[in-house]
Amino acid sequence: MHFLIENTRLVVIKLGTRVLTCDAGTVQKDRIHSLCHHVNTFQRRGISVIIVSSGAIGLGMGRLGLHKRPTDLDLSQACAAIGQSILIDTWQEGFDPHGITVAQILLTRADVRGRKRHVALKNTFEKLLALNVIPIVNENDSVSTDEILRFGDNDILSALVASLTKADMLIMLSTVPGLMGRGGSEIIPLVERITPEIEAMAEGTTSQRSVGGMKSKIEAARIATRSSCGVYVGNGLDAEILPKLLQGKAHGTYFAPTRIPLQSRKRWIAFFTDPEGSIQVDEGAKHAIFHDGSSLLAKGISHFRGEFGKGAIVDIECAAGKVFARGLSQYSSDEFPRIAGKSSDALRQIFPERRRVEVVHRNSLVMLT
């Protein structure tokens, strides 16, 4: 596939564990130094770069002589803490000949979930890029203790970073050369829309030192493309993959971005925090939201689930239970038994002090399908 980077000002490059480390759990210094050289070429072309670098746990495993990814949480965190220092030192060493400074950013879900921390993190990225510093991002595996704090893998993390920073392109490099067609005979060069058929082509990884696989890359592509960021998936073992991207000669899979950009606040609602509950609506309400661009009104609510306060993020489901939207609820779950199915005039009588009676206002609602 002839792939061109045109009118690009910022790219996020995600590098998988198996690209950066050997099977023995040691760092691929020569490969990292080569990547640094090519990233410097991006910089000289006026393209800013953020790197999402896997490999900390794998390097820690190598230092401790482990051959299988730990299932024990404490040992996994210890490997991450040991390996992360090796990883960041290697990146800085690789960029030193080019006079480039790197900055380490370790993240958990909590760092992007709260709106204030979300904005503060965005500002940090902007300042580092303005200083021509290259952020090296990884999940903070040494403190990510459970499902609530974890991103799951760096594919998802890289997509969220791309969304947060409004990157033009997410470049995902691993041992996966792209999305393979059925039977694995050839690479699909272009995905204009992620459909159930595209999802069915994905498979997980079997590596002992990494997580993810094509399945997680498709989920990452879904997040990034909804944020108007194109996604390229290619072979990170190809030493010339980045120059080929600049030359328009790289083979791989390109996921085209959606034409309608999401505002920053709506990206946060859609991708950066988990819903605390769900609201099920009737077909009339779904049609009004989906086709007419309406807010969610109490009259169309059938059921709700979960315990949440006013201002919580909630999923919005159709009658069949499929989530099609997400937004900020202007009512707590304690208030829902009083409002479900009620008209707006009735709500104004129940809550005379409220200026707005929409359950989820259109400005705080984002479509997910």
Side-chain angles (χ1 to χ4, degrees), residues 43-91:
Q43 298 271 86
R44 289 191 282 107
R45 288 274 296 267
I47 302 172
S48 297
V49 176
I50 296 170
I51 294 174
V52 176
S53 175
S54 303
I57 292 179
L59 292 175
M61 288 167 57
R63 185 58 64 92
L64 294 176
L66 304 175
H67 300 290
K68 291 187 177 181
R69 192 177 181 91
T71 56
D72 177 75
L73 178 61
D74 292 340
L75 181 55
S76 179
Q77 290 177 315
C79 288
I82 293 167
Q84 187 60 41
S85 62
I86 301 171
L87 191 62
I88 195 66
D89 285 348
T90 306
W91 278 112

Side-chain angles (χ1 to χ4, degrees), residues 278-309:
S278 62
I279 301 171
Q280 191 173 92
V281 302
D282 59 29
E283 286 303 310
K286 178 186 175 183
H287 186 278
I289 293 169
F290 203 92
H291 297 286
D292 302 334
S294 300
S295 300
L296 172 58
L297 304 179
K299 188 173 181 61
I301 295 174
S302 304
H303 304 285
F304 74 95
R305 293 193 304 275
E307 296 182 4
F308 48 89

